Amino acid sequence: MIYVGRYPEELVKQFAEEAEKKFKNKLKRKYVAHIQSLKYQEALDEINRVFDPIVKIANIQELFRFSPEELREISIFLESKDRAPSYFYNGEAIQNNLKFPYKEIYDLYTPMSKYPLLFAGSPMSYGDIYEPVTQKIKMSVLMTLCLNLQVCPYCNRTYINYRGYNNGGAQLDHILSKNKYPIFASSINNLVPTCGTCNLTKGTSETSFSPFIQNEGNEYHFSFDPTENEIGIDSKNQSTIDFIESIRLKEAYQIHRMEAADILKKLEIYNRSQKNELQEVIYQASGSTINIEELLFGKGLFSREEYKRYPLAKLRTDILRANNFKRK
């Protein structure tokens, strides 16, 4: 899993305000005017009953803007108290059995992911070309833009770039399963843009860490065995290993064995002096200098920020590191 950074605070604020507005609109459609405020308070009391004593919220909006750290802390608490999912369902844990207000919160996810929002804090970007936002953008597209995320943070293989204001290439995955934790189904920091394959393969599998929280212990690392012609993936963290297995990442990467072998071949052919010679030849021919490392091994190397932009950057970096590659 690749660290993706954080959503801008202004986006979190607008998302939470709109989610609460939609929650209140649900109450308006269901109940007469003098009952609506009572049902809102009932929802707030019920949520605080579940969270007691770890946290208390003053309004429903706070639920939708919990930080990644707060979501993790509360989910650990709920798990330890066996409050998930028994607190949220009447009987079997299926959507139709959700109690009030959890069904209403759960049902907000789809309209919120498609909700168009004008957010001037993030320009539309096409590679290195940026255009100012001039019209409302679908929320899932806007999330990807605000994170400057062009490649799936789960697999680092697939582009998730958008195709216009309302056509996103990403799906939104629930870090904490919306079935187990319907209370967080519409919390912005529980939603991360991923590729469709990772999202569907992961399904409702448990994830105990977040791509919004930077922790080197949660990273996975690639290796390549040319004798066995196999790409390996491992981690120091058992939860990360479980995550790798849940999205079948090792199987997905075997198609890249040729790229891995090509890196080893280039390392063997191009030593430092040869790279300098190649750079000099290019300079003599074109009058300009280029980054030989990028030319040989691709962009996005050795940078967690750049992993978000370039497919296979983590694989290429890990193979180079394992073979004692020294950067200029």
Side-chain angles (χ1 to χ4, degrees), residues 273-305:
S273 63
Q274 289 170 321
K275 285 189 286 185
N276 290 339
E277 290 173 9
L278 179 59
Q279 188 148 24
E280 181 63 25
V281 168
I282 293 172
Y283 179 78
Q284 293 294 334
S286 64
S288 61
T289 59
I290 64 168
N291 187 320
I292 291 296
E293 292 174 1
E294 285 188 358
L295 178 66
L296 293 175
F297 305 115
K299 291 187 175 183
L301 301 175
F302 301 97
S303 168
R304 289 186 178 88
E305 184 63 28

Side-chain angles (χ1 to χ4, degrees), residues 23-40:
F23 179 81
K24 289 180 175 179
N25 286 339
K26 283 180 175 291
L27 298 183
K28 286 181 181 179
R29 290 194 294 269
K30 278 188 172 182
Y31 305 104
V32 294
H34 71 281
I35 299 294
Q36 291 165 21
S37 60
L38 294 176
K39 295 301 291 185
Y40 183 93

Side-chain angles (χ1 to χ4, degrees), residues 204-312:
T204 59
S205 298
E206 289 295 300
T207 304
S208 62
F209 50 89
S210 168
F212 299 114
I213 299 174
Q214 189 165 13
N215 184 340
E216 291 184 21
N218 291 334
E219 289 187 354
Y220 52 68
H221 301 281
F222 293 100
S223 60
F224 177 62
D225 184 342
T227 305
E228 298 293 332
N229 192 29
E230 181 178 72
I231 292 175
I233 312 176
D234 205 354
S235 174
K236 297 176 182 178
N237 189 322
Q238 183 58 47
S239 296
T240 304
I241 294 172
D242 293 340
F243 173 75
I244 291 167
E245 292 175 354
S246 75
I247 63 172
R248 302 182 69 87
L249 195 60
K250 183 175 180 179
E251 291 89 337
Y253 262 84
Q254 299 315 309
I255 199 172
H256 301 297
R257 289 175 293 187
M258 187 176 294
E259 288 103 315
D262 191 49
I263 292 172
L264 296 185
K265 187 184 228 180
K266 288 177 179 177
L267 283 171
E268 185 179 349
I269 293 173
Y270 296 101
N271 58 36
R272 184 176 292 274
S273 63
Q274 289 170 321
K275 285 189 286 185
N276 290 339
E277 290 173 9
L278 179 59
Q279 188 148 24
E280 181 63 25
V281 168
I282 293 172
Y283 179 78
Q284 293 294 334
S286 64
S288 61
T289 59
I290 64 168
N291 187 320
I292 291 296
E293 292 174 1
E294 285 188 358
L295 178 66
L296 293 175
F297 305 115
K299 291 187 175 183
L301 301 175
F302 301 97
S303 168
R304 289 186 178 88
E305 184 63 28
E306 293 295 276
Y307 294 160
K308 301 191 301 182
R309 301 180 60 198
Y310 297 103
L312 306 182

Side-chain angles (χ1 to χ4, degrees), residues 96-234:
N96 291 338
N97 287 340
L98 278 165
K99 299 175 184 177
F100 176 85
Y102 307 114
K103 186 174 192 324
E104 287 72 13
I105 293 168
Y106 184 104
D107 289 344
L108 286 175
Y109 161 66
T110 298
M112 281 305 301
S113 67
K114 297 178 180 178
Y115 181 71
L117 183 68
L118 180 61
F119 179 63
S122 180
M124 299 291 281
S125 60
Y126 302 87
D128 294 324
I129 301 172
Y130 293 86
E131 298 179 0
V133 172
T134 56
Q135 67 183 65
K136 290 186 175 181
I137 305 173
K138 181 180 174 182
M139 186 66 73
S140 58
V141 173
L142 191 54
M143 289 173 167
T144 307
L145 281 169
C146 287
L147 294 171
N148 191 23
L149 189 59
Q150 298 175 24
V151 181
C152 175
Y154 284 1
C155 66
N156 193 231
R157 295 176 68 239
T158 309
Y159 280 114
I160 55 172
N161 57 303
Y162 52 87
R163 300 184 184 186
Y165 289 119
N166 294 300
N167 294 285
Q171 294 185 10
L172 294 179
D173 179 55
H174 288 80
I175 300 165
L176 298 170
S177 167
K178 66 179 183 293
N179 293 328
K180 185 171 182 179
Y181 298 98
I183 195 169
F184 300 135
S186 303
S187 296
I188 187 170
N189 284 305
N190 194 36
L191 302 173
V192 60
T194 69
C195 70
T197 301
C198 282
N199 188 25
L200 292 172
T201 306
K202 174 176 174 281
T204 59
S205 298
E206 289 295 300
T207 304
S208 62
F209 50 89
S210 168
F212 299 114
I213 299 174
Q214 189 165 13
N215 184 340
E216 291 184 21
N218 291 334
E219 289 187 354
Y220 52 68
H221 301 281
F222 293 100
S223 60
F224 177 62
D225 184 342
T227 305
E228 298 293 332
N229 192 29
E230 181 178 72
I231 292 175
I233 312 176
D234 205 354

